[in-house]
Amino acid sequence: MMNDYISQLDSIVTSRISGSIVRTEGLTAAAAGFPAPLGSLALIERQAGAPVEAEVIGFRDNLTLLFPLGDVIGIRQGNRVTLARSTRSVRVGNQLLGRVIDARGRVIDNKPAPVLADRVPLDRKPPAATSRPRIDTTFSTGVRAIDGLLTCGVGQRIGVFAGSGVGKSVTLGMMAKYSSADVIVIGLIGERGREVNEFLERDLGPTGLARSVCVVATSDEPAIMRVQAASTATAVAEYFRDQGKNVLLMMDSLTRFALAQREIGLAAGEPPTTRGYPPSVFALLPRLVERAGRTPQGSITAIYSVLVEGDDVNEPVSDTVRGLLDGHVILSRKLAAQSHYPAIEVLGSISRLFTEITTPQQRSAAAIVRELLSAYREHEDLISIGAYRTGANPTVDTAIAMRGEILQFLKQSIDEKTDVAKASEELLKLAMRCQQPRKAAVAQAPVMQQPPRRN
C-alpha cells in the first residue's frame, strides 16, 4: 500500500494552475493558459451554481480539452478554470462491503457514508507477468454448466458474450450469489437506471450484497464517469486482493465501457478506425483486463460481460476481448427462446484452463457430453423432419436417447445452488449413463460383410 502512495508523489503538481474557457467543442470545453497534466481533475467556475468538475482528456492548438463530469449548463466563455487534483484515487476500506457507490467512490444507497481510512489510485499498472503464480485451483461460479464443462480457475478472466435479453444479468446474479469468492466487486457500467435496483434486489439479493461492493454508472451519466467506474471497480478489487482475499470482479458490460471511451476519444480528436472506434479503445481494454488475475498476495477472478451487437460475436470489441481473456461463455438467443436457462451455448464456449485444473475423469466425461451435443447439432435437421434412420450412426442414436438428460444437466433454476465438486460428480454420472446406450447401439449395429478376396 505504501508503494502506491509513493508512486502518486511523482505525479502530484504542487503549483496552482488556472486558466479560462475559450470555447466548447461538442461535448468538451477548451481552456487557454491551463497546462494541467492529462487525466487531472479541474473545476470550471460558473456565474450561477456550483463549479463543474471536468477531466483533462487532451490538448489541441495550445488549448487544454476538458470533459465535464456533470451538467454543463451555465458554462460560458471566460469562465475561470482551476486545477483541483492531479492524480485520480478512491477511498476504500472493509466498510464498503454491502454498499453501492458511484464512479468516484461516493455512496449512493441512501445510507450514512462510511469512514474509509485508505486510498488507492484508480490507474495502477498490472502485476508483472513474471510475478503471477500459475492458476491451479478451481473456482466455483455456482452455474452447473460452467462448473462442469467450462471449469474456471481462481484468478482466471472469463467473458460472457450475449445479446440483449438472453438472461445475462440473471446468469451474473447467480454467479455472484453462489460463487466461492471471499469478496465480490460488481461494476454496472452504462446500465439503465431501472435495472440497478432490480439486479441488487432480485438477482444479487441480500446474501450476495452483504459480501459485495457495487459500483454504478448509469447510461445517462457522462462518458468519463462510465469509464472511471470500470477503473474504480478494478481498484476496489485490487484493494481486497492485496489483503489476501480471493475476489470476484464482475463487470457489466465491457462493451459499454468501450463505447464510453469511443465517445471520449472522438471528442478529443482521435481518428475513428474500425466501426468508429478510435485507437485508444483498443489500447485501454488490455490495460484494464490485465489488472485482474492472481498475485502472491491474493487473486481477482474476473467475469466481464460483452454485449454483442446484432448477436455478432466477431464485431470489433467482442473479437478483441475474446483474444485478451482466458475463456469465453456464449449465451444463445435460440436457447433463451426455448426457455433454456442459463442459455449457455456449450459448443461455442471454452475455458482455456479447463485441462489444467480438472481431473482426467472430468475431462473424459466432458468430452463425451460435448461429442453427443455436437452429433445432435450436425443431424438436427434430419432428426426434426424424421429423415434420420435409427441405427445409421450409434453416436447419433445415443445423442437422441440422452438428449433429455443432457439438457436437464445444462438447465438450472436461479434458486438452485451448486459448486464445482457437485457439478463434476453429476457430470461423471451423466457420462456413465451416456455410455450405456452407446454400447447397446454399437452392439446392435449391422456388421458390414467384406466381399471375398480374389486371387
Side-chain angles (χ1 to χ4, degrees), residues 59 108 119 170 193 273 278 289 300 310 322 362 371:
F59 310 95
I108 56 174
R119 184 186 292 271
V170 175
T273 55
V289 301
I300 299 177
R322 193 165 56 248
Q362 183 179 348
E371 181 186 8

Side-chain angles (χ1 to χ4, degrees), residues 42-302:
L43 293 177
I44 304 176
E45 297 179 359
R46 295 182 294 182
Q47 271 65 35
V52 177
E53 295 179 322
E55 183 175 320
V56 178
I57 62 170
F59 310 95
R60 186 190 306 155
D61 301 330
N62 295 323
L63 298 177
T64 301
L65 301 181
L66 304 168
F67 202 105
L69 304 184
D71 191 2
V72 297
I73 296 177
I75 295 178
R76 68 180 186 180
Q77 188 178 19
N79 282 151
R80 189 165 180 259
V81 183
T82 57
L83 179 65
R85 190 166 61 245
S86 58
T87 60
R88 301 194 307 170
S89 61
V90 62
R91 290 196 175 276
V92 291
N94 292 329
Q95 295 83 358
L96 281 179
L97 293 175
R99 306 303 300 269
V100 183
I101 62 177
D102 63 6
R104 306 190 53 194
R106 301 172 299 190
V107 292
I108 56 174
D109 52 8
N110 299 322
K111 298 178 182 178
V115 178
L116 305 172
D118 297 322
R119 184 186 292 271
V120 294
L122 289 184
D123 302 309
R124 288 178 62 178
K125 291 184 178 180
T130 54
S131 68
R132 296 174 183 257
R134 291 186 60 182
I135 297 175
D136 54 7
T137 307
T138 58
F139 178 84
S140 293
T141 64
V143 179
R144 184 168 48 242
I146 297 178
D147 289 344
L149 297 168
L150 306 165
T151 311
C152 303
V154 175
Q156 187 172 348
R157 299 166 304 186
I158 292 290
V160 178
F161 293 73
S164 57
V166 295
K168 170 172 52 64
S169 297
V170 175
T171 304
L172 294 178
M174 291 174 63
M175 295 181 186
K177 283 193 295 186
Y178 303 138
S179 72
S180 58
D182 300 324
V183 174
I184 304 168
V185 180
I186 304 169
L188 300 179
I189 315 299
E191 284 288 344
R192 292 178 285 269
R194 172 187 60 83
E195 293 184 335
V196 173
N197 275 338
E198 287 186 3
F199 179 83
L200 296 176
E201 298 174 5
R202 180 195 64 192
D203 300 328
L204 189 58
T207 304
L209 183 60
R211 56 175 179 150
S212 303
V213 180
C214 191
V215 183
V216 176
T218 54
S219 58
D220 61 306
E221 296 188 44
I224 201 78
M225 298 295 286
R226 284 174 267 150
V227 171
Q228 184 170 323
S231 299
T232 300
T234 306
V236 172
E238 289 170 332
Y239 168 78
F240 287 106
R241 178 202 61 193
D242 293 342
Q243 290 186 339
K245 299 182 182 298
N246 292 326
V247 182
L248 172 61
L249 171 63
M250 306 179 68
M251 195 170 294
D252 185 17
S253 71
L254 212 55
T255 303
R256 295 192 178 104
F257 165 80
L259 290 173
Q261 180 58 34
R262 179 174 70 176
E263 188 176 327
I264 297 170
L266 294 178
E270 287 189 65
T273 55
T274 308
R275 292 199 185 180
Y277 287 100
S280 62
V281 172
F282 303 104
L284 197 58
L285 282 172
R287 286 168 49 193
L288 179 70
V289 301
E290 280 293 331
R291 292 168 64 180
R294 188 180 175 191
T295 67
Q297 292 78 28
S299 67
I300 299 177
T301 305

